[in-house]
């Protein structure tokens, strides 16, 4: 009995946080809204049921879901506090995300031919990119949304997973990208698979640049370069990609007005604090005014930050939950990355290894890019904070990726069980 109670203590901590937070959301403002309690119970029920199913079916790593449950809880609490209607929508997306989490876990476990579908991943990505460019709506200056009957969808979110699967296919079966020869004059040039891989990866980034999705383009490059660093033995390939990145960054700053503005604001937001620097300045004021322990849920003023529910949700957390609340978010993301790296190192299949590492790197760099932007560590880019920011596309895609990572962890546990059985 004591062992069971000790094991369930982490999930009880997550539940306790939700109980306290939703009680505060219920009490901080009159007239009291009983729906707040009902929605809080929904969140608690989803977390408990999901944790029970993972334990009952022995679905691999027992902690990555608990880590994410705490991150989602902090996001739900803050979004509900800022806007009840958006908070309710986010809780509904959370429930849908959990369904997709288990569905992606089951499908990845059920089917064994994921490594043979390289061109399907490429084709699907191309179709989504073209649909976005042709039919997409421009929101906040970026043409990265498809709106269908009032519901918006961001294709670049699922494309991240397709991109990781494409890279995993290459490292599993490099021959799927066949080399070819071109003749220029009297000379013949062989275009190898590594060159084709690089060209394809940069094509993904080019589509994102055309959509003015600078943050996502940076994220795709970091995923690609990290996997190159881990799996590529030729240092010249890394140097060539590094030079391309430096040249692209320099070109963007010199010739793309939007990037130049972002860099200038990063260097000195106070020069135009009422205009272009307003957003980052308000973010810094919010983080600073929260102190170590925060003003308390509902007692701050994060609503003065534009796009606070999405890009600047971390600033709102720091203002009302304090620097300690912000540090908790960062540490939870670090622990999630640690568990992901551990899974990637332990699994034997190269395809599973690349998928696990790619998903972990995606979560890690996405967190670094957005938090680094809102605290003025790096230039600001408009991407979401995984599992915390408002947005159905981001949340559901993150849960699909988490379900795949959970499935890979199950393979690791099965390998360990087989090893123990052989030793006995």
């Amino acid at each position: 009995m004591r062992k069971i109670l000790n094991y369930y203590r982490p999930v009880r901590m997550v539940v306790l946080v939700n109980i306290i937070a939703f009680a505060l959301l219920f009490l901080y403002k009159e007239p009291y809204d009983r729906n707040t309690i009902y929605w809080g119970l929904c969140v608690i029920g989803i977390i408990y049921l999901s944790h029970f199913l993972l334990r009952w079916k022995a679905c691999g790593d027992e902690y990555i879901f608990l880590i994410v449950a705490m991150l989602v809880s902090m996001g739900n609490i803050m979004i509900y506090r800022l806007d009840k209607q958006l908070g309710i929508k986010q809780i509904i997306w959370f429930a849908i995300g959990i369904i997709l989490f288990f569905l992606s876990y089951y499908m990845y476990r059920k089917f064994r031919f994921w490594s043979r579908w390289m061109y399907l991943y490429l084709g699907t990505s191309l179709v989504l990119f073209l649909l976005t460019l042709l039919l997409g709506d421009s929101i906040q200056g970026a043409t990265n949304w498809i709106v269908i009957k009032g519901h918006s969808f961001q294709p670049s979110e699922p494309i991240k997973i397709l991109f990781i699967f494409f890279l995993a296919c290459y490292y599993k079966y490099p021959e799927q990208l066949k080399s070819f020869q071109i003749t220029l004059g009297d000379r013949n040039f062989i275009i190898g698979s590594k060159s084709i891989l690089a060209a394809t990866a940069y094509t993904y980034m080019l589509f994102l640049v055309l959509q003015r999705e600078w943050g996502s383009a940076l994220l795709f490059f970091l995923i690609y370069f990290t996997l190159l660093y881990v799996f590529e033995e030729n240092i010249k390939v890394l140097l060539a990609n590094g030079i391309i990145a430096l040249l692209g960054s320099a070109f963007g700053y010199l010739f793309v007005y939007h990037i130049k503005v972002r860099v200038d604001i990063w260097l000195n937001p106070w020069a135009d604090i009422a205009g272009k620097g307003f957003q980052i300045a308000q973010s810094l004021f919010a983080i600073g005014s929260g102190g170590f322990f925060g003003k308390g849920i509902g007692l701050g003023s994060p609503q003065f930050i534009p796009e606070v529910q999405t890009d600047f949700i971390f600033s709102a957390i720091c203002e009302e939950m304090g620097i300690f609340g912000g540090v908790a978010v960062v540490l939870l993301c670090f622990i999630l990355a640690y568990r992901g790296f551990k899974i990637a190192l332990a699994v034997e299949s190269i395809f599973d290894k690349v998928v696990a590492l790619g998903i972990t790197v995606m979560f890690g760099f996405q967190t670094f890019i957005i938090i680094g932007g809102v605290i003025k560590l790096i230039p600001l880019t408009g991407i979401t904070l995984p599992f915390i920011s408002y947005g159905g596309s981001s949340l559901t895609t993150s849960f699909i990726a988490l379900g795949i990572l959970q499935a890979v962890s199950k393979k690791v546990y099965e390998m360990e069980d087989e090893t123990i059985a052989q030793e006995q």
Side-chain angles (χ1 to χ4, degrees):
M1 177 62 72
R2 182 177 298 177
K3 183 178 180 181
I4 295 175
L5 292 175
N6 287 339
Y7 178 81
Y8 275 97
R9 190 172 297 166
V11 72
R12 289 178 176 178
M13 291 177 64
V14 178
V15 169
L16 180 62
V17 168
N18 279 279
I19 291 172
I20 294 172
F22 277 97
L24 291 173
L25 288 172
F26 173 73
L27 294 171
Y28 93 96
K29 189 176 182 180
E30 295 183 353
Y32 301 135
D33 185 2
R34 291 184 178 179
N35 289 327
T36 300
I37 299 298
Y38 300 148
W39 285 110
L41 291 175
C42 285
V43 172
I44 293 170
I46 292 169
I47 293 172
Y48 247 128
L49 178 60
S50 302
H51 183 258
F52 170 77
L53 290 175
L54 288 171
R55 278 281 293 154
W56 180 38
K57 293 295 184 179
C59 295
D61 191 294
E62 299 163 344
Y63 295 102
I64 57 176
F65 175 78
L66 291 175
I67 297 166
V68 167
M70 182 64 83
L71 291 173
V72 173
S73 297
M74 296 180 76
N76 285 337
I77 292 161
M78 188 52 59
I79 294 167
Y80 194 96
R81 172 263 178 274
L82 292 168
D83 188 319
K84 286 186 178 181
Q85 295 305 313
L86 291 183
I88 293 170
K89 288 182 180 179
Q90 188 73 351
I91 293 171
I92 294 172
W93 282 119
F94 173 40
I96 295 172
I98 290 295
I99 295 171
L100 294 175
F101 166 75
F102 284 105
L103 184 61
S104 62
Y105 169 86
Y106 173 78
M107 290 183 66
Y108 193 85
R109 293 272 302 157
K110 179 71 174 178
F111 302 110
R112 303 288 183 177
F113 40 72
W114 299 104
S115 58
R116 293 292 186 181
W117 283 4
M118 174 186 285
Y119 290 99
L120 177 63
Y121 307 138
L122 287 174
T124 306
S125 300
L126 178 61
V127 170
L128 290 174
F129 275 133
L130 292 176
L131 286 175
T132 306
L133 290 174
L134 295 174
L135 306 176
D137 288 3
S138 180
I139 300 177
Q140 299 296 326
T143 309
N144 59 349
W145 294 90
I146 295 177
V147 180
I148 302 174
K149 295 183 179 181
H151 298 282
S152 57
F153 167 67
Q154 194 171 8
S156 61
E157 290 293 333
I159 290 174
K160 291 187 295 188
I161 299 178
L162 294 173
F163 181 63
I164 292 170
F165 271 54
F166 159 71
L167 295 173
C169 286
Y170 170 78
Y171 284 109
K172 177 66 174 179
Y173 299 113
E175 65 273 11
Q176 290 187 86
L177 287 181
K178 296 180 180 179
S179 303
F180 62 92
Q181 180 177 297
I182 59 173
T183 302
L184 295 176
D186 297 330
R187 302 187 63 182
N188 295 324
F189 296 92
I190 297 177
I191 307 299
S193 59
K194 293 178 182 178
S195 299
I196 300 173
L197 174 70
T200 306
Y202 286 112
T203 301
Y204 273 85
M205 299 170 213
L206 177 61
F207 274 112
L208 291 168
V209 168
L210 293 175
Q211 297 174 17
R212 299 188 67 181
E213 269 272 27
W214 312 108
S216 295
L218 174 61
L219 178 61
F220 273 60
F221 172 78
L222 291 172
I223 294 171
Y224 167 66
F225 191 79
T226 302
L227 293 177
L228 276 184
Y229 176 78
V230 173
F231 295 101
E232 182 56 59
E233 297 179 356
N234 191 345
I235 191 66
K236 293 181 181 179
V237 175
L238 293 174
L239 291 175
N241 281 276
I243 292 171
I244 291 173
L246 291 174
L247 292 175
S249 301
F251 177 85
Y253 177 74
L254 294 174
F255 299 103
V256 180
Y257 175 75
H258 185 73
I259 294 179
K260 188 177 187 306
V261 168
R262 289 295 178 95
V263 175
D264 291 341
I265 292 171
W266 169 57
L267 293 174
N268 185 15
W270 321 113
D272 188 13
I273 193 173
K276 297 172 183 176
F278 180 78
Q279 198 174 33
I280 187 65
Q282 288 296 320
S283 171
L284 296 175
F285 289 147
I287 294 171
S289 64
F292 285 105
F293 299 99
K295 293 183 175 180
I297 295 177
L299 302 179
S301 303
Q303 63 272 13
F304 291 118
I305 309 173
E307 306 300 326
V308 66
Q309 295 95 341
T310 52
D311 298 357
F312 286 85
I313 190 74
F314 182 77
S315 305
I317 290 172
C318 288
E319 181 174 0
E320 300 204 341
M321 300 184 188
I323 296 297
F324 288 138
V327 170
V329 170
V330 174
L331 289 178
L332 285 168
C333 292
F334 267 118
I335 299 170
L336 179 61
Y338 162 74
R339 303 298 299 186
F341 289 139
K342 187 177 179 181
I343 293 167
L345 287 170
V347 72
E348 290 184 349
S349 167
I350 187 66
F351 182 84
D352 292 330
K353 194 178 290 289
V354 176
V355 166
L357 181 59
I359 290 173
T360 303
V361 168
M362 178 185 75
F363 287 149
F365 278 124
Q366 192 170 337
T367 302
F368 170 76
I369 290 170
I370 188 59
I371 292 181
V374 302
I375 66 174
K376 213 175 84 67
L377 178 65
I378 59 175
L380 181 66
T381 56
I383 62 175
T384 56
L385 186 57
F387 301 106
I388 298 179
S389 293
Y390 173 76
S393 298
S394 174
L395 187 61
T396 52
T397 301
S398 296
F399 269 110
I400 291 172
L402 188 73
I404 295 168
L405 185 62
Q406 186 78 50
V408 177
S409 76
K410 174 63 173 177
K411 294 184 179 182
V412 174
Y413 278 60
E414 288 175 343
M415 289 165 43
E416 292 177 351
D417 291 340
E418 289 177 4
T419 302
I420 294 172
Q422 289 174 0
E423 291 176 352
Q424 291 177 348

